[in-house]
Amino acid sequence: MKSYQPNFFTVFTLRLAEQWNLEKNDTSEQLAMIHKRNKLLLIVFVTLSVLDTITNLFVFPSILLPVVLLSLFGCCVTLYFVLKPRLAKIGMYVIVCTSFLPFWLVAYLDKDIINYIFLTMPLIMSSVYNRIMPTILASAITLATLTYFYFYYFQTVFYENIKVDVVYFLLFTLFVTVYLLFSSSLNERFRLRAEEKEKETSRELISTKEYLEAYFTNTTDAIGVYDLNGQALQINASFENIFQVRAKDVVGKQTSFLAFTKMESLPHLISRMEEQKNVSFETVMSVGNHTLEVKVTVTPIKNPRGTIIALIFLMEDITDKKRTEEALMQSEKLSVIGELAAGVAHEIRNPVTVLKGFVQLLSQQRTIPDPYYFNIMQKELDRINQITNEFMALAKPQAIKIKNQNLLELIFQVTDFLESEALLHKVELLVEHEETAVWIDCEPNQIKQVLINTIKNGIEAMPEGGKIRIKVKKKRDFIYLLIEDEGTGIPADLIEKIGQPFFTTKEQGTGLGLMVSMKIVENHGGAVSIQSLENKGTIVKILMPLHK
């Protein structure tokens, strides 16, 4: 049994019916587009009418009046539908048909072959709509017109031409029709794809907008949008709660209680954001009767040309977080002190033994003691006092005071402090430096804690003894501090976990030491990285900015 194969005319008819059904369901956006094309054709008609009038004024003045009148009629018809947007689709078909009238009149009054070529002009003009139905209508009228003029005016117009020329006219019309149909169909597909893409983009934008609005409304962080004059454009509920203000009292005004939003502070922020996407910093401020520590992230809003037109301030209350970090640091200090107790006891016992011996010796002498004995006793007492002071500085809470400090001096103080424990573990501490002084802005006791934690880790990683090299290098505006040991190293699968809270490779460790140390360095504008090979050793790299 043979399957039925539809012929060309059946397919064409079905395609035509489908297109007609599609056009009956045009959306408001599509009708608006047709209206715009009607406006465009009005401009075309007016232009062609002016050109036709000027041409006939010099070439065929006898037909000037009827051509002008019919051109004006066509322009008036088109203008009517331009003024009636709701009749845009009807106007499209009426305008296509009306566009033939001036060309018919010229071909009728001036029976010249060139005027019959122009009978295809309305067909070409119909392509403005990029739609199949107007093109088919214009093609049908053109073919009918050419055939009519050929049969009824053959002796006048086509007698001197061979009959095949008319066939060429008709073929030309068919070629133009096929091209315009293909072009319209292709444009229609592109239009449908573009509309679908536009709808999808619109849905995504709406979803994104809803998400951002939900975040803006429900986040616990304070958000304020400011113009470049320091005036608040919009704030969220968390802004009102954290800073104890009301939106109606803030929006449209400068927030003097936020120093970083003042007009004189904004140029500095904007200049920094020209080099990076956003700017983050921490600050302390008073709200009511209490103090807040706030982390501020400033993000620019730019126009399509890339110019900053507003700023978004995202403010996170980190007061509790800071207190927790301070508690962790203090806990880690006490943990370090406990672990150092044996070495310190050994260090203090030596001078105490010396002092005890000299006291017994002096108690047996009846003459004036030799001053040499007193000098030795004084040195031993100073040694005990130094060790005690180091313990006090490490153990008791200190007010954070950033000051200009020689890093080498801190390193030597820590190595002296840890020397006794290093000797107990048969470890030698070596300091290598090229400069006589390396100045940084820091809180000295916190940097000492970092050094103690890191060097102690190196000592404990070498149960058989070895060397720890502390290298200080200066490059441009930064200082590189490398602490290298010859210990057991860290397995590759654990290296990424180092620094996480409560993760440790020690049996009695807390996992907080390195985390606290990394946080301290980060608060000083630096960074910590670790490289390690099993049974080869570990290198802790500490990067910190130099004193400006």
Side-chain angles (χ1 to χ4, degrees):
M1 183 176 179
K2 295 183 178 179
S3 60
Y4 173 73
Q5 295 292 336
N7 57 35
F8 170 78
F9 293 103
T10 303
V11 173
F12 180 76
T13 304
L14 291 174
R15 184 74 177 88
L16 201 62
E18 179 186 353
Q19 190 63 36
W20 177 254
N21 290 329
L22 285 175
E23 289 207 2
K24 288 196 299 184
N25 300 318
D26 281 336
T27 63
S28 58
E29 290 83 3
Q30 292 169 333
L31 292 175
M33 183 60 68
I34 294 175
H35 180 63
K36 290 181 180 179
R37 303 295 167 80
N38 289 344
K39 288 182 179 180
L40 178 60
L41 274 185
L42 176 61
I43 297 173
V44 172
F45 281 165
V46 172
T47 304
L48 290 178
S49 298
V50 172
L51 292 175
D52 194 29
T53 301
I54 295 173
T55 302
N56 287 305
L57 183 63
F58 296 99
V59 180
F60 304 110
S62 59
I63 67 171
L64 180 61
L65 182 60
V67 169
V68 169
L69 292 176
L70 199 55
S71 297
L72 288 174
F73 173 76
C75 291
C76 291
V77 170
T78 307
L79 179 61
Y80 172 80
F81 288 104
V82 167
L83 297 176
K84 301 285 185 178
R86 60 187 181 85
L87 300 177
K89 184 184 289 189
I90 298 174
M92 173 178 66
Y93 292 106
V94 174
I95 291 170
V96 168
C97 294
T98 305
S99 64
F100 283 91
L101 296 178
F103 296 100
W104 286 346
L105 181 63
V106 172
Y108 176 77
L109 296 177
D110 183 18
K111 298 178 179 60
D112 195 334
I113 191 71
I114 189 66
N115 292 325
Y116 293 94
I117 296 175
F118 276 98
L119 288 173
T120 58
M121 192 65 187
L123 171 60
I124 297 173
M125 291 167 57
S126 69
S127 66
V128 167
Y129 292 101
N130 278 328
R131 298 171 75 91
I132 292 176
M133 297 308 295
T135 302
I136 293 176
L137 175 63
S139 176
I141 296 175
T142 303
L143 287 170
T145 300
L146 290 174
T147 304
Y148 171 80
F149 276 101
Y150 171 71
F151 282 108
Y152 284 90
Y153 297 98
F154 176 79
Q155 295 294 333
T156 308
V157 181
F158 300 102
Y159 184 74
E160 296 180 358
N161 299 280
I162 59 177
K163 293 183 178 180
V164 75
D165 287 347
V166 178
V167 178
Y168 287 151
F169 287 153
L170 298 178
L171 285 176
F172 173 74
T173 302
L174 290 175
F175 288 154
V176 171
T177 301
V178 171
Y179 169 76
L180 294 181
L181 289 175
F182 176 78
S183 175
S184 299
S185 178
L186 188 64
N187 288 331
E188 182 72 7
R189 288 199 295 269
F190 285 156
R191 181 182 64 80
L192 292 174
R193 289 180 187 175
E195 287 180 356
E196 185 61 31
K197 184 66 176 177
E198 183 180 359
K199 290 178 182 178
E200 182 181 348
T201 303
S202 178
R203 288 193 295 267
E204 290 177 355
L205 287 174
I206 292 173
S207 176
T208 302
K209 182 177 180 236
E210 292 175 348
Y211 171 78
L212 291 175
E213 286 179 350
Y215 176 77
F216 185 85
T217 304
N218 300 319
T219 181
T220 57
D221 297 334
I223 301 177
V225 183
Y226 287 76
D227 63 17
L228 301 187
N229 294 321
Q231 292 184 344
L233 302 176
Q234 189 176 5
I235 64 173
N236 67 346
S238 295
F239 188 106
E240 297 178 278
N241 295 333
I242 291 176
F243 300 117
Q244 300 177 8
V245 295
R246 293 182 298 178
K248 65 179 182 179
D249 299 329
V250 171
V251 174
K253 301 177 183 178
Q254 292 188 344
T255 48
S256 57
F257 57 89
L258 299 177
F260 46 84
T261 65
K262 292 183 179 179
M263 187 175 178
E264 53 268 24
S265 302
L266 296 184
H268 174 65
L269 290 175
I270 293 172
S271 64
R272 290 178 61 186
M273 280 185 286
E274 290 176 353
E275 301 176 357
Q276 54 198 59
K277 292 182 179 180
N278 52 52
V279 175
S280 296
F281 57 89
E282 294 180 3
T283 185
V284 179
M285 56 183 299
S286 297
V287 176
N289 297 324
H290 59 283
T291 300
L292 289 182
E293 292 193 54
V294 181
K295 180 179 180 180
V296 184
T297 301
V298 190
T299 305
I301 300 176
K302 299 181 179 180
N303 61 17
R305 296 186 298 275
T307 304
I308 297 176
I309 58 175
L311 300 173
I312 299 176
F313 288 83
L314 176 65
M315 292 156 279
E316 178 187 0
D317 183 1
I318 57 172
T319 307
D320 293 338
K321 180 181 177 182
K322 284 290 185 180
R323 289 173 181 168
T324 302
E325 289 177 357
E326 290 175 5
L328 282 174
M329 290 181 187
Q330 186 63 20
S331 173
E332 184 59 25
K333 285 180 183 179
L334 297 176
S335 175
V336 170
I337 290 172
E339 293 176 10
L340 292 174
V344 173
H346 175 76
E347 190 68 17
I348 293 178
R349 185 175 57 188
N350 289 337
V352 168
T353 302
V354 173
L355 289 172
K356 181 179 179 180
F358 276 107
V359 169
Q360 291 178 350
L361 178 63
L362 293 175
S363 64
Q364 297 173 0
Q365 292 184 0
R366 298 181 180 179
T367 58
I368 298 175
D370 190 339
Y372 172 74
Y373 299 148
F374 291 105
N375 290 335
I376 295 176
M377 294 173 67
Q378 185 64 46
K379 288 181 181 179
E380 296 301 331
L381 288 170
D382 290 341
R383 176 63 175 163
I384 293 174
N385 187 55
Q386 179 188 0
I387 296 171
T388 305
N389 288 337
E390 289 291 344
F391 256 74
M392 291 294 293
L394 185 63
K396 76 174 184 178
Q398 300 275 343
I400 297 177
K401 295 180 181 179
I402 302 296
K403 63 180 182 179
N404 188 14
Q405 179 71 43
N406 182 2
L407 178 60
L408 294 177
E409 181 181 335
L410 297 179
I411 292 173
F412 285 121
Q413 289 176 4
V414 170
T415 53
D416 288 345
F417 181 62
L418 293 175
E419 185 177 4
S420 60
E421 182 169 355
L423 291 174
L424 287 175
H425 291 80
K426 301 177 183 179
V427 173
E428 183 179 2
L429 303 179
L430 303 175
V431 181
E432 302 175 8
H433 56 93
E434 299 173 353
E435 307 286 337
T436 56
V438 179
W439 298 95
I440 61 173
D441 294 322
C442 69
E443 206 295 314
N445 287 321
Q446 288 192 351
I447 299 301
K448 282 184 182 180
Q449 184 178 353
V450 172
L451 293 170
I452 290 172
N453 286 342
T454 308
I455 295 172
K456 264 188 89 289
N457 286 341
I459 292 173
E460 294 170 356
M462 295 188 291
E464 304 299 326
K467 296 180 179 179
I468 293 180
R469 290 180 171 81
I470 305 167
K471 301 179 181 179
V472 182
K473 299 180 181 179
K474 186 165 66 174
K475 292 184 180 180
R476 296 184 181 179
D477 296 332
F478 292 91
I479 180 69
Y480 290 82
L481 176 61
L482 282 71
I483 302 176
E484 304 177 2
D485 65 52
E486 300 171 348
T488 55
I490 304 171
D493 58 331
L494 299 180
I495 193 73
E496 294 182 358
K497 298 181 180 180
I498 297 298
Q500 295 180 5
F502 307 109
F503 176 80
T504 179
T505 57
K506 306 175 188 176
E507 292 183 2
Q508 303 298 326
T510 63
L512 298 176
L514 189 55
M515 185 202 76
V516 170
S517 299
M518 295 172 76
K519 187 63 180 177
I520 290 173
V521 174
E522 181 183 331
N523 290 340
H524 282 76
V528 178
S529 61
I530 300 175
Q531 295 179 353
S532 185
L533 291 174
E534 286 191 83
N535 302 318
K536 294 290 185 180
T538 301
I539 302 176
V540 179
K541 296 182 178 179
I542 300 174
L543 171 69
M544 293 188 65
L546 284 168
H547 169 71
K548 296 183 180 180

